[in-house]
Amino acid sequence: MNDELKSGIYHPGRSICFVITRPKPREVWAADFRDRIVHHLFYNRISPRFYASFIADSCACIPGRGTLYAAHRIEAKIRSITQNWSKPVHYLKLDLANFFVSIDKNILRGLIARRVTEPWWMQLSDAILFHDPRQDYELRGNPDMLDLVPRHKRLVNHPAHLGLPIGNLSSQFFANIYLDALDQFVKHQIGARHYIRYVDDFVLLHESPQWLNVAKARIEEFLHDNLKARINPSKTILQPVSRGIDFVGQVIRPWCRTSRKRTVNEAMSRVRGIDAKDLFETANSYYGLFRQSTHSYHQRVKLSNILRYRDHTISANLTKTYRRKMA
């Protein structure tokens, strides 16, 4: 592979395609191991120059900027604009429709080329970006599972110049480059002081709902003209902050941040029915998730009661379970 890269004849190999069902059915693509090494090579060399220009409110797939960072960030913004929940403020939450499968690779290449000026690295970027995994892939799992994924969300149902395969490091990195254009527009052209984005979900805060409606119209126009993207109208929310903001799996309310109800219900259901040999790892992962919220005590109590019923020992502060000694 080293010789292929040096000579410029490197070409990605066969991918693996499979379907996941949590939190909802999605088509996932996994590059071959040798190709994943190339993705990391490209990412490690190129990402710092892009990260240096990303706004601080761009989250997801950036070191140190995961869901907890995003939750802390939006909570701090809310407390700032509401003066510790004492002023009425509205929020506008927007979501891009079919984001990953609708990314225009030609537009994305232009955005990459603005900062990647070395011919060899740009050639490698093109090899990764324009590789079409649909031309050579292995389907893993039950083929009928593909029927669970809506047709408009499947990569195979879109033109070759549209869409990035969900599952690759390169796709996550490219997606942030693509939406950095949106971030810069919202912050510097619209002038949104209180804005945050996590992948394709983003929130704007303002005292005036009329201002937010105008901002929405400008964002829709920008997305259409510059990124060939569109807002999902069914997921657009404009309402007072006091009702709570559902963002990155947490619901932020006055002086309270909890895990999303759907996440809690799924956790309880899974812990009740999961095989005993997988219970230790799964339960502790949920404890870790709940502890990211400031008010998770009651959720951890519910989880602990299920684990006790399944003969597990729980720590006194309800933050972890221990391995069960098998007879």
Side-chain angles (χ1 to χ4, degrees):
M1 184 175 66
N2 183 55
D3 293 338
E4 293 179 26
L5 288 170
K6 285 184 176 180
S7 61
I9 62 172
Y10 163 77
H11 184 76
R14 167 176 281 199
S15 295
I16 295 172
C17 178
F18 58 95
V19 174
I20 62 171
T21 56
R22 290 190 179 93
K24 52 189 174 182
R26 287 179 180 171
E27 181 184 71
V28 178
W29 300 81
D32 188 68
F33 180 73
R34 69 193 292 270
D35 297 325
R36 294 200 294 271
I37 294 175
V38 175
H39 294 171
H40 280 272
L41 170 70
F42 176 78
Y43 171 83
N44 290 340
R45 176 60 183 264
I46 300 303
S47 62
R49 67 184 71 178
F50 285 96
Y51 288 164
S53 64
F54 284 177
I55 65 172
D57 299 309
S58 171
C59 313
C61 310
I62 300 175
R65 299 193 199 175
T67 55
L68 185 57
Y69 172 91
H72 285 162
R73 191 86 181 169
I74 192 172
E75 186 174 32
K77 289 178 177 296
I78 294 171
R79 293 183 63 177
S80 172
I81 191 172
T82 63
Q83 296 182 7
N84 278 340
W85 301 99
S86 64
K87 287 177 54 180
V89 168
H90 285 74
Y91 78 92
L92 173 66
K93 184 180 179 184
L94 300 172
D95 176 273
L96 298 183
N98 309 320
F99 174 56
F100 271 93
V101 296
S102 62
I103 291 176
D104 190 311
K105 295 181 181 179
N106 295 314
I107 294 176
L108 177 54
R109 187 196 186 277
L111 296 173
I112 296 171
R114 292 179 185 178
R115 294 189 177 275
V116 182
T117 56
E118 308 91 328
W120 189 88
W121 287 105
M122 196 63 220
Q123 182 181 359
L124 181 59
S125 174
D126 287 343
I128 298 172
L129 175 61
F130 290 103
H131 171 63
D132 188 352
R134 302 171 300 178
Q135 302 301 315
D136 182 20
Y137 71 93
E138 174 189 350
L139 181 62
R140 294 275 180 90
N142 186 350
D144 294 337
M145 294 286 288
L146 289 172
D147 295 334
L148 300 176
V149 184
R151 288 186 56 82
H152 63 279
K153 291 186 177 292
R154 293 195 58 202
L155 189 63
V156 295
N157 294 324
H158 291 266
H161 75 285
L162 293 181
L164 297 177
I166 296 176
N168 290 338
L169 171 65
S170 58
S171 297
Q172 299 167 354
F173 175 51
F174 286 152
N176 272 330
I177 296 174
Y178 200 68
L179 289 184
D180 177 60
L182 170 65
D183 297 338
Q184 302 296 336
F185 174 76
V186 173
K187 294 293 285 188
H188 302 298
Q189 299 301 316
I190 293 181
R193 292 181 56 200
H194 303 282
Y195 161 85
I196 187 167
R197 178 180 62 80
Y198 189 90
V199 193
D200 60 334
D201 294 332
F202 50 104
V203 174
L204 292 85
L205 306 169
H206 202 272
E207 296 88 347
S208 168
Q210 292 78 19
W211 186 94
L212 290 171
N213 271 321
V214 172
K216 175 177 175 290
R218 293 184 64 186
I219 289 171
E220 289 178 316
E221 181 180 6
F222 174 84
L223 289 171
H224 177 271
D225 295 345
N226 295 274
L227 299 179
K228 300 296 185 273
R230 61 185 180 87
I231 297 296
N232 185 344
S234 66
K235 294 186 178 180
T236 297
I237 300 174
L238 174 58
Q239 65 180 16
V241 167
S242 58
R243 295 185 183 177
I245 301 180
D246 187 335
F247 190 61
V248 294
Q250 298 191 31
V251 180
I252 299 94
R253 295 187 178 90
W255 308 107
C256 175
R257 181 158 46 82
T258 59
S259 294
R260 180 186 295 158
K261 185 176 181 180
R262 186 183 69 188
T263 302
V264 175
N265 290 339
E266 182 174 334
M268 303 310 161
S269 175
R270 193 172 183 205
V271 169
R272 285 190 187 98
I274 199 170
D275 193 283
K277 64 181 178 61
D278 300 320
L279 185 56
F280 171 77
E281 291 83 359
T282 301
N284 278 323
S285 69
Y286 282 126
Y287 274 122
L289 177 64
F290 293 156
R291 287 177 65 191
Q292 291 187 1
S293 305
T294 57
H295 290 67
S296 65
Y297 177 76
H298 293 293
Q299 297 163 347
R300 288 183 284 122
V301 167
K302 291 176 64 176
L303 178 61
S304 299
N305 288 338
I306 297 173
L307 292 170
R308 290 191 185 100
Y309 180 80
R310 298 195 63 177
D311 297 329
H312 270 252
T313 302
I314 316 299
S315 64
N317 57 358
L318 306 183
T319 57
K320 63 181 177 179
T321 184
Y322 302 96
R323 286 191 183 276
R324 181 185 175 192
K325 291 185 178 180
M326 304 303 293

